[in-house]
Amino acid sequence: PAQRITREYGYYFPSDVVGSSFREHLEAVLQRFCGEHCFANFTELKKLEGLKKKIQRDKELQTWAHQLQSWKRSRIQEMGGGVDALDDVESSPVSTIKVHQAMQAACKRNILNIVVEAIETLDKELMCIRIKGDGFLYNMVRYLVGSALAVVTGRLSAATLETALESSICVDLSEHLAPAHGLVLLDQSLEASEARWMSESSESAESSSDWTALSADRFLEEQLLPKIQEAWHQNAGWLSEK
């Protein structure tokens, strides 16, 4: 059987984006993603390689995919701009197009845990959304984070997010895709029950693992977080101006 790899991502952003009073609300919204769901509305069709091959062989799927892409393009064209122009589009992000069963099957993933924590830095406080799961789709974490923040800040209704998660109808969340500069892969590991080749009594392996973890934490604190903060300084308008 194929070995499942568990990954944990962290998404870092300035704490003043939502404020401490909204932290509980953010945590509550994020908890809706936990468990097994179809995340078809939290990724991009063009990046699902397995599904793309099926579309090439199936005319019904080709018609559906063309209809979906045409609808998304029409939302952008209403404002005559790119994805950023979607912020001002008045048309609903909820379509009348059903999520094809082939896409539903390709997009089922299991989120194991989500936590929100405060990170103290020399500059200012950051918030970190830690998301752990046994599989992630392209841009999935950025869509989850961005849409959750959009609900908390009032730019996306909770009902629309719920519709997106139910995944029976296609929903366009393009305008809520969180910037890439806040995303960090924190950890990945084989599922314990499947990693039988690893010796449980190997003290040297444990020592090496502890040293690696320490080095990774130091690299994150000294190298990555300052760069993330600088990137947010340069892109402060992503949330504040919306």
Side-chain angles (χ1 to χ4, degrees):
Q3 294 175 330
R4 288 197 297 177
I5 298 178
T6 297
R7 291 186 173 89
E8 183 177 27
Y9 287 93
Y11 192 89
Y12 296 84
F13 61 95
S15 59
D16 55 14
V17 165
V18 293
S20 58
S21 62
F22 290 94
R23 179 171 170 177
E24 288 187 7
H25 186 192
L26 177 61
E27 290 175 332
V29 173
L30 288 166
Q31 289 307 309
R32 284 292 296 117
F33 298 133
C34 288
E36 185 174 85
H37 299 280
C38 170
F39 291 98
N41 287 313
F42 299 86
T43 188
E44 295 167 23
L45 175 62
K46 62 185 179 182
K47 295 296 183 178
L48 298 174
E49 294 299 329
L51 186 57
K52 282 170 61 178
K53 292 178 180 178
K54 288 184 179 180
I55 291 174
Q56 293 172 357
R57 301 191 302 264
D58 189 315
K59 287 191 175 182
E60 179 195 353
L61 266 173
Q62 289 173 14
T63 300
W64 170 81
H66 177 73
Q67 183 183 15
L68 176 60
Q69 296 303 323
S70 295
W71 171 71
K72 287 188 174 183
R73 282 196 299 269
S74 70
R75 294 192 72 226
I76 297 174
Q77 290 170 356
E78 285 185 23
M79 293 302 298
V83 171
D84 291 340
L86 286 170
D87 301 328
D88 302 315
V89 171
E90 296 181 357
S91 63
S92 171
V94 181
S95 74
T96 58
I97 305 169
K98 292 184 178 181
V99 177
H100 196 283
Q101 59 183 8
M103 189 166 186
Q104 289 181 332
C107 295
K108 285 186 178 179
R109 296 293 187 273
N110 185 27
I111 298 298
L112 302 172
N113 190 41
I114 302 180
V115 296
V116 180
E117 58 187 18
I119 308 293
E120 294 290 344
T121 67
L122 293 176
D123 186 4
K124 62 190 300 185
E125 186 179 79
L126 292 173
M127 299 294 289
C128 178
I129 298 174
R130 300 174 70 108
I131 302 180
K132 186 176 183 179
D134 60 12
F136 291 91
L137 299 162
Y138 180 80
N139 275 348
M140 178 174 155
V141 174
R142 292 171 60 194
Y143 273 113
L144 295 180
V145 170
S147 59
L149 288 173
V151 169
V152 172
T153 55
R155 296 178 296 107
L156 179 70
S157 73
T160 297
L161 181 61
E162 195 66 28
T163 299
L165 189 58
E166 288 173 357
S167 71
S168 59
I169 297 294
C170 293
V171 179
D172 184 13
L173 299 173
S174 301
E175 61 265 49
H176 305 301
L177 179 65
H181 56 251
L183 185 64
V184 177
L185 174 61
L186 297 175
D187 188 36
Q188 66 176 16
S189 60
L190 288 174
E191 198 172 80
S193 61
E194 295 172 347
R196 298 186 179 91
W197 52 272
M198 296 179 66
S199 171
E200 296 180 359
S201 60
S202 175
E203 295 182 2
S204 61
E206 291 181 3
S207 177
S208 175
S209 177
D210 291 342
W211 172 251
T212 300
L214 179 62
S215 299
D217 289 343
R218 185 174 300 157
F219 180 75
L220 175 65
E221 181 180 349
E222 297 178 359
Q223 300 294 327
L224 292 185
L225 292 186
K227 287 183 171 60
I228 289 172
Q229 286 182 303
E230 178 59 28
W232 276 114
H233 286 317
Q234 297 175 6
N235 295 272
W238 177 69
L239 282 173
S240 62
E241 295 175 1
K242 293 183 178 183

